Amino acid sequence: MPGFSTRAVHAGQEPDRASGAVVVPIYQTSTFAQDAVGKHRGYEYSRTGNPTRAALEQCIASLEGGAHGLAFASGMAAEAAIMQLLKPNDHTVAVDDLYGGTYRLFRQVLEPMGLSFSFVDGSDLEAVERALTERTRMVWVESPTNPLLKLVDIEAVSKLAHAKGALMVVDNTFMSPYFQRPLSLGADIVVHSATKYLGGHSDVIGGTLVVNRDDLLERLAFLQNAVGGIPGPLDAWLVLRGLKTLAIRMREHDRNARLVAEFLAEHPKVARVFYPGLPSNPQRELARRQMSGFGGMISFEVKGGLEPARRTVERTQLFTLAESLGGVESLIELPAAMTHSSIPAETRRAHGVADGLVRLSVGIEDVADLISDLDRALAEA
Ligand code: P1T
C-alpha cells in the first residue's frame, strides 16, 4: 500500500474521467441525468451521493486505514448519525472529559429521547469496566480528550466494549489519522470534526466517519441519506484539499507544540501543563504506544486562576482568541467560558476543568514568535 502522504494526495482523487482535470472538480449539482428509468452512472441525487463528496469519503477512509468513509455537514452531524444507530433504553459509556457540544448532544438531545449515558474517566480502565452494563451498546471516547488531553487506552477499552457486545467509537479529531489510527487498535467507528486538522485552514465546517464493517457502512450510509446531514460539494472539496497537506501540517503542529509545552512547563506563572508529550506526563508510555506524535493541542492553568487566565487569552496577539482548533493559525481560548460552557459548571469542575484553564491550538507559524507572544501575554497578566 502506498504511504500516508501519497494516499493523502491521491486516494479517491484520480484525474477526472470526463475532462482529465487533475483536481477533483466541485460537482455543484443537486441531481444527475439518468439514461433510462433506474439506469444511472453511479449518482442520482446529491444527498444520496455526489462525486466530490465521494472522493473525500474515499480519501479519509484510506488515511484511517478503513474500508469505508462517510462525510457530513459538521462533526456534530457525523456524531448524530452514529448515535442514530441506537434505540431508546440503549446505554452509552462516554469519557467524562469531552467536547462540550458532544456532551450537549448526549444530555440535552438524546437523553430526553430515551437513551442513557454514563460519564467516566476514560483513563481509568476499571472505571470504564464498572460502568458497562447489559444495556451498554456503545462506548464513546476521545483520545486525547478535549480539553484536558487525557489519553484512553483504545485497544484495552475496545476489548472491554466488545466483551459486552458494544460498539467502540473514537473521536480522533485531536490526533488526525496522521498520528493515530483507532481502527487498527480495535475501534469500530472513527469520527472527526473535519473542521479541525483535516480541513486545516479554519475555512470550513465538516465531519467524517470511517468504518471497516460493511453492515455498519450500510446502516450509516442509510442514515446519512435518510436524515440528510451531508456537506455541500464545495465544503467537501475544501476538506479534500486540506487533506493533501495533512502530513506536513501535522509534523509542524507537533514540532511547535512540543517547544511551546516545554516553554510553558518552565514558566513561573504557569501552574500546570496538560500535554501528553511532556516527560513528566504520567501517560507518556501509552502515548508512545498508540500515537506516533503528540499533536498541536496544549492546555494549561495560570497561577492565580480565572482572572490572570482571562487576561492572558485577551492579551496574546498571534494566538487569536477563538473557539475551534486544528488550523494553520494558532488559537487560544478559555474552555469553561467558551467551548465547554454547555457543560454545567459543577460537572465541569468535577471532571477537572478549572475555570481558569487555558487551551491552545498551536499553529504552524514560527515557534519563536508563538513563544514570545505567550511570554509577553503571561507577563502582562
Ligand atoms: O464543530 P463540529 O465540526 O461540529 O465538530 C464538533 C466536535 C467534535 N469532536 C471534537 C473533539 C471537537 O473538538 C469538536 C468541535 N470542537 C470545537 C469547536 C472546539 O473548539 O473544541
Side-chain angles (χ1 to χ4, degrees):
M1 184 169 49
F4 186 94
S5 300
T6 305
R7 284 179 282 132
V9 175
H10 293 290
Q13 302 168 77
E14 298 301 313
D16 185 51
R17 257 184 288 156
S19 66
V22 167
V23 174
V24 172
I26 304 165
Y27 281 92
Q28 194 71 45
T29 183
S30 60
T31 192
F32 299 84
Q34 306 200 4
D35 299 324
V37 177
K39 186 162 176 278
H40 56 78
R41 302 172 211 175
Y43 296 96
E44 296 161 88
Y45 184 61
S46 278
R47 170 159 40 71
T48 319
N50 173 284
T52 314
R53 190 176 95 213
L56 167 61
E57 292 173 334
Q58 273 184 45
C59 188
I60 184 63
S62 171
L63 296 182
E64 282 288 359
H68 315 288
L70 292 171
F72 290 84
S74 65
M76 293 315 306
E79 294 189 13
I82 295 170
M83 296 313 291
Q84 284 159 359
L85 294 170
L86 302 182
K87 299 187 302 299
N89 291 321
D90 286 350
H91 175 244
T92 296
V93 174
V95 291
D96 58 11
D97 188 44
L98 82 175
Y99 171 55
T102 304
Y103 185 84
R104 179 175 56 198
L105 172 70
F106 291 176
R107 297 301 307 272
Q108 296 185 42
V109 180
L110 300 173
E111 251 179 25
M113 295 171 78
L115 276 66
S116 70
F117 295 87
S118 299
F119 296 91
V120 298
D121 178 352
S123 63
D124 179 349
L125 282 179
E126 283 169 20
V128 174
E129 191 163 19
R130 275 198 304 277
L132 294 164
T133 73
E134 291 312 313
R135 289 193 297 115
T136 307
R137 292 286 162 269
M138 193 173 283
V139 176
W140 186 289
V141 310
E142 292 178 3
S143 186
T145 59
N146 181 0
L148 290 176
L149 287 302
K150 285 198 277 187
L151 305 188
V152 177
D153 186 332
I154 295 171
E155 195 165 10
V157 172
S158 295
K159 284 191 183 129
L160 293 176
H162 292 156
K164 288 280 181 195
L167 289 171
M168 175 74 175
V169 180
V170 177
D171 183 332
N172 202 26
T173 300
F174 270 31
M175 277 298 103
S176 90
Y178 185 66
F179 285 135
Q180 175 172 274
R181 285 177 293 283
L183 294 176
S184 72
L185 299 166
D188 300 293
I189 305 176
V190 179
V191 60
H192 280 278
S193 169
T195 313
K196 310 297 167 8
Y197 291 107
L198 303 187
H201 296 74
S202 304
D203 53 11
V204 63
I205 299 282
T208 61
L209 54 84
V210 179
V211 298
N212 266 326
R213 277 169 46 183
D214 295 347
D215 61 325
L216 281 177
L217 171 75
E218 196 182 326
R219 183 67 189 165
L220 287 163
F222 169 82
L223 288 165
Q224 182 195 39
N225 181 51
V227 183
I230 51 137
L234 175 60
D235 287 357
W237 185 88
L238 282 167
V239 176
L240 191 60
R241 185 172 68 165
L243 285 181
K244 292 177 203 278
T245 55
L246 181 63
I248 55 174
R249 284 187 288 106
M250 291 315 293
R251 289 199 287 268
E252 289 295 301
H253 285 295
D254 182 78
R255 199 169 62 108
N256 282 356
R258 287 177 200 232
L259 295 170
V260 170
E262 277 167 27
F263 159 78
L264 290 170
E266 298 289 307
H267 199 286
K269 290 206 170 171
V270 172
R272 216 170 150 194
V273 180
F274 301 87
Y275 176 70
L278 282 175
S280 58
N281 188 295
Q283 294 190 295
R284 210 174 131 97
E285 264 322 295
L286 175 59
R288 289 217 171 278
R289 195 153 23 97
Q290 73 181 11
M291 297 137 64
S292 55
F294 304 112
M297 299 301 295
I298 303 170
S299 293
F300 63 98
E301 286 170 12
V302 182
K303 281 185 187 156
L306 179 59
E307 280 316 312
R310 186 197 301 276
R311 287 194 295 273
T312 304
V313 303
E314 288 178 351
R315 275 174 173 69
T316 53
Q317 287 168 3
L318 265 180
F319 279 88
T320 302
L321 176 59
E323 302 197 10
S324 202
L325 59 113
V328 291
E329 62 289 287
S330 294
L331 303 180
I332 191 165
E333 66 123 3
L334 282 186
M338 298 169 66
T339 50
H340 292 68
S341 60
S342 54
I343 303 176
E346 283 317 309
T347 311
R348 217 169 45 221
R349 288 182 198 128
H351 296 164
V353 179
D355 291 346
L357 184 79
V358 176
R359 192 188 73 180
L360 301 179
S361 172
V362 178
I364 66 167
E365 302 94 334
D366 289 295
V367 70
D369 295 332
L370 296 178
I371 287 174
S372 57
D373 190 36
L374 289 170
D375 201 22
R376 199 189 28 73
L378 281 164
E380 289 176 13

